[in-house]
Amino acid sequence: KAGVTQTPRYLIKTRGQQVTLSCSPISGHRSVSWYQQTPGQGLQFLFEYFSETQRNKGNFPGRFSGRQFSNSRSEMNVSTLELGDSALYLCASSFNAGGPTTEAFFGQGTRLTVV
Amino acid sequence: GNSVTQMEGPVTLSEEAFLTINCTYTATGYPSLFWYVQYPGEGLQLLLKATKADDKGSNKGFEATYRKETTSFHLEKGSVQVSDSAVYFCALLLRSGGYNKLIFGAGTRLAVHP
């Protein structure tokens, strides 16, 4: 069974540009969450999608957005990039959305560098 | 608010030493608790989990027990190996209104020397 796939693995962008990251969850998983990992702030929740609906959003500015498609694949977009957006962006998928045994399986992440 | 506190690293041990990484949490309700491990250049891998009080999660020689009375979920391993060198994250899962949200500790880096 294939794991969570994130593309691309690495990205270098310039300040002011926008970027789109992609996540393909494990087959059959309907919940996809996004996290930002930085040395200073650690792992922070961005948002969660379930059945194409955003169910929860973390404390990030509106420049961060996402969506989920009918096949559960998800994309996140960051507009007007800032240097502080440089981070590892992790996607996690889970099957049993909201259940007590919900396990999140993470992809390898996309390393975004803003210069 | 909801939060997870882990012992600061790095933790440096010799091979075959005993490992403890402390984790305490603050949460409303009864969260599920997890330990994740991150190897260099990789994403997070689920190491073990516990969904209710007194549950013991175990995997690859690692263990952690969900202690509701002390709000703790300490990670232990009896004999570490060089290959265990990684960053370990304690996390709690909040479930509310149908959504999932993992809250992570800051992570503890473990370095095991031969």
Side-chain angles (χ1 to χ4, degrees):
Chain A
K1 197 173 190 180
V4 179
T5 303
Q6 290 188 247
T7 56
R9 288 292 308 276
Y10 303 93
L11 266 179
I12 300 176
K13 289 286 188 178
T14 305
R15 268 184 305 175
Q17 288 187 313
Q18 67 93 27
V19 67
T20 299
L21 313 182
S22 179
C23 172
S24 293
I26 292 171
S27 178
H29 285 194
R30 295 166 65 192
S31 171
V32 174
S33 299
W34 289 88
Y35 294 82
Q36 181 195 64
Q37 185 178 23
T38 59
Q41 299 299 316
L43 280 153
Q44 293 188 290
F45 173 79
L46 279 156
F47 27 64
E48 186 212 7
Y49 287 87
F50 182 80
S51 293
E52 302 178 65
T53 301
Q54 186 184 90
R55 298 200 299 186
N56 191 29
K57 191 177 193 305
N59 189 25
F60 279 82
R63 300 185 296 107
F64 291 81
S65 63
R67 59 178 175 168
Q68 187 180 33
F69 302 95
S70 58
N71 63 357
S72 293
R73 190 177 71 85
S74 177
E75 291 181 346
M76 68 163 282
N77 185 78
V78 188
S79 62
T80 320
L81 283 165
E82 300 177 0
L83 295 178
D85 298 332
S86 296
L88 180 67
Y89 290 88
L90 292 165
C91 167
S93 79
S94 59
F95 171 73
N96 198 9
T101 59
T102 298
E103 296 178 22
F105 296 86
F106 283 80
Q108 290 187 298
T110 295
R111 172 76 61 186
L112 172 64
T113 302
V114 182
V115 298
Chain B
N2 302 294
S3 64
V4 176
T5 302
Q6 287 182 238
M7 62 187 289
E8 287 190 25
V11 173
T12 304
L13 295 173
S14 298
E15 206 165 25
E16 299 184 4
F18 184 85
L19 168 71
T20 299
I21 300 178
N22 290 338
C23 170
T24 57
Y25 67 90
T26 302
T28 53
Y30 302 97
S32 296
L33 300 174
F34 302 84
W35 277 100
Y36 282 87
V37 58
Q38 187 175 35
Y39 298 100
E42 300 291 323
L44 300 177
Q45 296 178 25
L46 178 64
L47 183 58
L48 52 84
K49 66 176 182 180
T51 59
K52 60 184 187 298
D54 300 325
D55 264 3
K56 176 186 279 189
S58 61
N59 185 27
K60 300 180 182 178
F62 291 90
E63 292 183 341
T65 301
Y66 190 163
R67 300 286 187 202
K68 182 182 161 189
E69 63 276 12
T70 54
T71 61
S72 64
F73 193 54
H74 305 321
L75 182 68
E76 297 182 335
K77 187 176 186 183
S79 176
V80 294
Q81 306 300 312
V82 172
S83 57
D84 293 327
S85 298
V87 180
Y88 292 80
F89 293 92
C90 183
L92 65 85
L93 178 69
L94 289 178
R95 298 183 301 277
S96 176
Y99 70 78
N100 299 322
K101 177 180 175 180
L102 279 167
I103 294 179
F104 289 91
T108 302
R109 183 174 300 277
L110 170 66
V112 181
H113 298 290

PDB file of all heavy atoms in Angstrom, chain B residues 78-99:
ATOM      1  N   GLY B  78      14.507   0.041  26.776  1.00  0.00           N
ATOM      2  CA  GLY B  78      15.464  -0.584  27.684  1.00  0.00           C
ATOM      3  C   GLY B  78      16.902  -0.559  27.192  1.00  0.00           C
ATOM      4  O   GLY B  78      17.839  -0.487  27.983  1.00  0.00           O
ATOM      5  N   SER B  79      17.101  -0.601  25.873  1.00  0.00           N
ATOM      6  CA  SER B  79      18.450  -0.702  25.331  1.00  0.00           C
ATOM      7  C   SER B  79      18.463  -0.038  23.956  1.00  0.00           C
ATOM      8  O   SER B  79      17.977  -0.610  22.981  1.00  0.00           O
ATOM      9  CB  SER B  79      18.865  -2.175  25.229  1.00  0.00           C
ATOM     10  OG  SER B  79      20.125  -2.298  24.622  1.00  0.00           O
ATOM     11  N   VAL B  80      19.007   1.171  23.907  1.00  0.00           N
ATOM     12  CA  VAL B  80      18.963   1.908  22.639  1.00  0.00           C
ATOM     13  C   VAL B  80      20.081   1.468  21.708  1.00  0.00           C
ATOM     14  O   VAL B  80      21.120   0.960  22.146  1.00  0.00           O
ATOM     15  CB  VAL B  80      19.044   3.431  22.875  1.00  0.00           C
ATOM     16  CG1 VAL B  80      17.812   3.929  23.597  1.00  0.00           C
ATOM     17  CG2 VAL B  80      20.309   3.803  23.630  1.00  0.00           C
ATOM     18  N   GLN B  81      19.833   1.695  20.428  1.00  0.00           N
ATOM     19  CA  GLN B  81      20.807   1.387  19.384  1.00  0.00           C
ATOM     20  C   GLN B  81      21.174   2.664  18.639  1.00  0.00           C
ATOM     21  O   GLN B  81      20.415   3.647  18.678  1.00  0.00           O
ATOM     22  CB  GLN B  81      20.219   0.360  18.407  1.00  0.00           C
ATOM     23  CG  GLN B  81      19.711  -0.906  19.068  1.00  0.00           C
ATOM     24  CD  GLN B  81      20.818  -1.637  19.812  1.00  0.00           C
ATOM     25  OE1 GLN B  81      21.906  -1.839  19.270  1.00  0.00           O
ATOM     26  NE2 GLN B  81      20.568  -2.027  21.059  1.00  0.00           N
ATOM     27  N   VAL B  82      22.285   2.616  17.942  1.00  0.00           N
ATOM     28  CA  VAL B  82      22.703   3.783  17.154  1.00  0.00           C
ATOM     29  C   VAL B  82      21.601   4.180  16.171  1.00  0.00           C
ATOM     30  O   VAL B  82      21.349   5.369  15.934  1.00  0.00           O
ATOM     31  CB  VAL B  82      24.030   3.502  16.415  1.00  0.00           C
ATOM     32  CG1 VAL B  82      24.357   4.636  15.464  1.00  0.00           C
ATOM     33  CG2 VAL B  82      25.161   3.305  17.423  1.00  0.00           C
ATOM     34  N   SER B  83      20.914   3.187  15.643  1.00  0.00           N
ATOM     35  CA  SER B  83      19.861   3.439  14.654  1.00  0.00           C
ATOM     36  C   SER B  83      18.636   4.145  15.248  1.00  0.00           C
ATOM     37  O   SER B  83      17.754   4.584  14.498  1.00  0.00           O
ATOM     38  CB  SER B  83      19.417   2.130  14.009  1.00  0.00           C
ATOM     39  OG  SER B  83      18.969   1.219  15.001  1.00  0.00           O
ATOM     40  N   ASP B  84      18.575   4.269  16.565  1.00  0.00           N
ATOM     41  CA  ASP B  84      17.475   4.997  17.209  1.00  0.00           C
ATOM     42  C   ASP B  84      17.707   6.505  17.216  1.00  0.00           C
ATOM     43  O   ASP B  84      16.828   7.271  17.631  1.00  0.00           O
ATOM     44  CB  ASP B  84      17.281   4.514  18.649  1.00  0.00           C
ATOM     45  CG  ASP B  84      16.793   3.086  18.738  1.00  0.00           C
ATOM     46  OD1 ASP B  84      16.044   2.654  17.847  1.00  0.00           O
ATOM     47  OD2 ASP B  84      17.190   2.379  19.704  1.00  0.00           O
ATOM     48  N   SER B  85      18.877   6.928  16.787  1.00  0.00           N
ATOM     49  CA  SER B  85      19.179   8.360  16.752  1.00  0.00           C
ATOM     50  C   SER B  85      18.206   9.066  15.822  1.00  0.00           C
ATOM     51  O   SER B  85      18.095   8.738  14.635  1.00  0.00           O
ATOM     52  CB  SER B  85      20.616   8.591  16.268  1.00  0.00           C
ATOM     53  OG  SER B  85      21.534   7.995  17.157  1.00  0.00           O
ATOM     54  N   ALA B  86      17.475  10.037  16.369  1.00  0.00           N
ATOM     55  CA  ALA B  86      16.404  10.713  15.622  1.00  0.00           C
ATOM     56  C   ALA B  86      15.819  11.780  16.538  1.00  0.00           C
ATOM     57  O   ALA B  86      16.263  11.960  17.678  1.00  0.00           O
ATOM     58  CB  ALA B  86      15.310   9.724  15.209  1.00  0.00           C
ATOM     59  N   VAL B  87      14.788  12.451  16.036  1.00  0.00           N
ATOM     60  CA  VAL B  87      14.043  13.391  16.867  1.00  0.00           C
ATOM     61  C   VAL B  87      12.695  12.759  17.191  1.00  0.00           C
ATOM     62  O   VAL B  87      12.012  12.240  16.297  1.00  0.00           O
ATOM     63  CB  VAL B  87      13.835  14.742  16.161  1.00  0.00           C
ATOM     64  CG1 VAL B  87      13.053  15.695  17.066  1.00  0.00           C
ATOM     65  CG2 VAL B  87      15.172  15.358  15.774  1.00  0.00           C
ATOM     66  N   TYR B  88      12.314  12.799  18.458  1.00  0.00           N
ATOM     67  CA  TYR B  88      11.084  12.167  18.924  1.00  0.00           C
ATOM     68  C   TYR B  88      10.081  13.234  19.351  1.00  0.00           C
ATOM     69  O   TYR B  88      10.415  14.155  20.091  1.00  0.00           O
ATOM     70  CB  TYR B  88      11.390  11.221  20.084  1.00  0.00           C
ATOM     71  CG  TYR B  88      12.196  10.025  19.639  1.00  0.00           C
ATOM     72  CD1 TYR B  88      13.581  10.112  19.459  1.00  0.00           C
ATOM     73  CD2 TYR B  88      11.572   8.804  19.349  1.00  0.00           C
ATOM     74  CE1 TYR B  88      14.322   9.032  19.012  1.00  0.00           C
ATOM     75  CE2 TYR B  88      12.306   7.716  18.910  1.00  0.00           C
ATOM     76  CZ  TYR B  88      13.673   7.838  18.740  1.00  0.00           C
ATOM     77  OH  TYR B  88      14.397   6.762  18.289  1.00  0.00           O
ATOM     78  N   PHE B  89       8.865  13.089  18.851  1.00  0.00           N
ATOM     79  CA  PHE B  89       7.799  14.051  19.139  1.00  0.00           C
ATOM     80  C   PHE B  89       6.656  13.359  19.872  1.00  0.00           C
ATOM     81  O   PHE B  89       6.136  12.346  19.414  1.00  0.00           O
ATOM     82  CB  PHE B  89       7.238  14.654  17.844  1.00  0.00           C
ATOM     83  CG  PHE B  89       8.202  15.530  17.098  1.00  0.00           C
ATOM     84  CD1 PHE B  89       9.016  14.994  16.120  1.00  0.00           C
ATOM     85  CD2 PHE B  89       8.279  16.885  17.376  1.00  0.00           C
ATOM     86  CE1 PHE B  89       9.906  15.801  15.415  1.00  0.00           C
ATOM     87  CE2 PHE B  89       9.152  17.703  16.683  1.00  0.00           C
ATOM     88  CZ  PHE B  89       9.981  17.149  15.708  1.00  0.00           C
ATOM     89  N   CYS B  90       6.279  13.950  20.975  1.00  0.00           N
ATOM     90  CA  CYS B  90       5.082  13.533  21.683  1.00  0.00           C
ATOM     91  C   CYS B  90       3.924  14.379  21.143  1.00  0.00           C
ATOM     92  O   CYS B  90       4.108  15.581  20.856  1.00  0.00           O
ATOM     93  CB  CYS B  90       5.273  13.771  23.177  1.00  0.00           C
ATOM     94  SG  CYS B  90       3.911  13.222  24.216  1.00  0.00           S
ATOM     95  N   ALA B  91       2.748  13.789  20.995  1.00  0.00           N
ATOM     96  CA  ALA B  91       1.624  14.537  20.428  1.00  0.00           C
ATOM     97  C   ALA B  91       0.318  14.072  21.028  1.00  0.00           C
ATOM     98  O   ALA B  91       0.178  12.909  21.425  1.00  0.00           O
ATOM     99  CB  ALA B  91       1.580  14.365  18.907  1.00  0.00           C
ATOM    100  N   LEU B  92      -0.628  14.990  21.083  1.00  0.00           N
ATOM    101  CA  LEU B  92      -1.974  14.611  21.478  1.00  0.00           C
ATOM    102  C   LEU B  92      -2.931  14.933  20.344  1.00  0.00           C
ATOM    103  O   LEU B  92      -2.708  15.859  19.561  1.00  0.00           O
ATOM    104  CB  LEU B  92      -2.393  15.286  22.785  1.00  0.00           C
ATOM    105  CG  LEU B  92      -2.549  16.814  22.853  1.00  0.00           C
ATOM    106  CD1 LEU B  92      -3.927  17.253  22.376  1.00  0.00           C
ATOM    107  CD2 LEU B  92      -2.361  17.269  24.303  1.00  0.00           C
ATOM    108  N   LEU B  93      -3.973  14.140  20.251  1.00  0.00           N
ATOM    109  CA  LEU B  93      -4.962  14.298  19.188  1.00  0.00           C
ATOM    110  C   LEU B  93      -6.229  14.861  19.783  1.00  0.00           C
ATOM    111  O   LEU B  93      -6.843  14.251  20.655  1.00  0.00           O
ATOM    112  CB  LEU B  93      -5.258  12.957  18.521  1.00  0.00           C
ATOM    113  CG  LEU B  93      -6.321  12.975  17.428  1.00  0.00           C
ATOM    114  CD1 LEU B  93      -5.817  13.737  16.206  1.00  0.00           C
ATOM    115  CD2 LEU B  93      -6.709  11.550  17.028  1.00  0.00           C
ATOM    116  N   LEU B  94      -6.583  16.044  19.290  1.00  0.00           N
ATOM    117  CA  LEU B  94      -7.830  16.660  19.697  1.00  0.00           C
ATOM    118  C   LEU B  94      -8.915  16.293  18.706  1.00  0.00           C
ATOM    119  O   LEU B  94      -8.695  16.345  17.497  1.00  0.00           O
ATOM    120  CB  LEU B  94      -7.685  18.189  19.714  1.00  0.00           C
ATOM    121  CG  LEU B  94      -6.826  18.798  20.811  1.00  0.00           C
ATOM    122  CD1 LEU B  94      -6.769  20.296  20.623  1.00  0.00           C
ATOM    123  CD2 LEU B  94      -7.348  18.439  22.179  1.00  0.00           C
ATOM    124  N   ARG B  95     -10.059  15.923  19.220  1.00  0.00           N
ATOM    125  CA  ARG B  95     -11.189  15.644  18.337  1.00  0.00           C
ATOM    126  C   ARG B  95     -12.362  16.488  18.823  1.00  0.00           C
ATOM    127  O   ARG B  95     -12.766  16.392  19.958  1.00  0.00           O
ATOM    128  CB  ARG B  95     -11.569  14.169  18.375  1.00  0.00           C
ATOM    129  CG  ARG B  95     -10.469  13.249  17.889  1.00  0.00           C
ATOM    130  CD  ARG B  95     -10.958  11.813  17.889  1.00  0.00           C
ATOM    131  NE  ARG B  95     -11.376  11.408  19.214  1.00  0.00           N
ATOM    132  CZ  ARG B  95     -10.555  10.977  20.163  1.00  0.00           C
ATOM    133  NH1 ARG B  95      -9.269  10.912  19.947  1.00  0.00           N
ATOM    134  NH2 ARG B  95     -11.019  10.618  21.333  1.00  0.00           N
ATOM    135  N   SER B  96     -12.853  17.311  17.942  1.00  0.00           N
ATOM    136  CA  SER B  96     -13.953  18.183  18.322  1.00  0.00           C
ATOM    137  C   SER B  96     -14.768  18.498  17.087  1.00  0.00           C
ATOM    138  O   SER B  96     -14.215  18.908  16.062  1.00  0.00           O
ATOM    139  CB  SER B  96     -13.416  19.475  18.940  1.00  0.00           C
ATOM    140  OG  SER B  96     -14.474  20.367  19.240  1.00  0.00           O
ATOM    141  N   GLY B  97     -16.046  18.290  17.170  1.00  0.00           N
ATOM    142  CA  GLY B  97     -16.898  18.593  16.031  1.00  0.00           C
ATOM    143  C   GLY B  97     -16.530  17.807  14.804  1.00  0.00           C
ATOM    144  O   GLY B  97     -16.782  18.230  13.683  1.00  0.00           O
ATOM    145  N   GLY B  98     -15.903  16.664  15.000  1.00  0.00           N
ATOM    146  CA  GLY B  98     -15.562  15.814  13.865  1.00  0.00           C
ATOM    147  C   GLY B  98     -14.194  16.048  13.275  1.00  0.00           C
ATOM    148  O   GLY B  98     -13.768  15.323  12.388  1.00  0.00           O
ATOM    149  N   TYR B  99     -13.472  17.063  13.714  1.00  0.00           N
ATOM    150  CA  TYR B  99     -12.172  17.288  13.082  1.00  0.00           C
ATOM    151  C   TYR B  99     -11.051  16.725  13.939  1.00  0.00           C
ATOM    152  O   TYR B  99     -11.196  16.506  15.126  1.00  0.00           O
ATOM    153  CB  TYR B  99     -11.941  18.770  12.810  1.00  0.00           C
ATOM    154  CG  TYR B  99     -11.712  19.627  14.033  1.00  0.00           C
ATOM    155  CD1 TYR B  99     -10.483  19.645  14.678  1.00  0.00           C
ATOM    156  CD2 TYR B  99     -12.728  20.438  14.516  1.00  0.00           C
ATOM    157  CE1 TYR B  99     -10.263  20.434  15.788  1.00  0.00           C
ATOM    158  CE2 TYR B  99     -12.520  21.236  15.634  1.00  0.00           C
ATOM    159  CZ  TYR B  99     -11.281  21.226  16.259  1.00  0.00           C
ATOM    160  OH  TYR B  99     -11.072  22.013  17.349  1.00  0.00           O
TER     161      TYR B  99
END
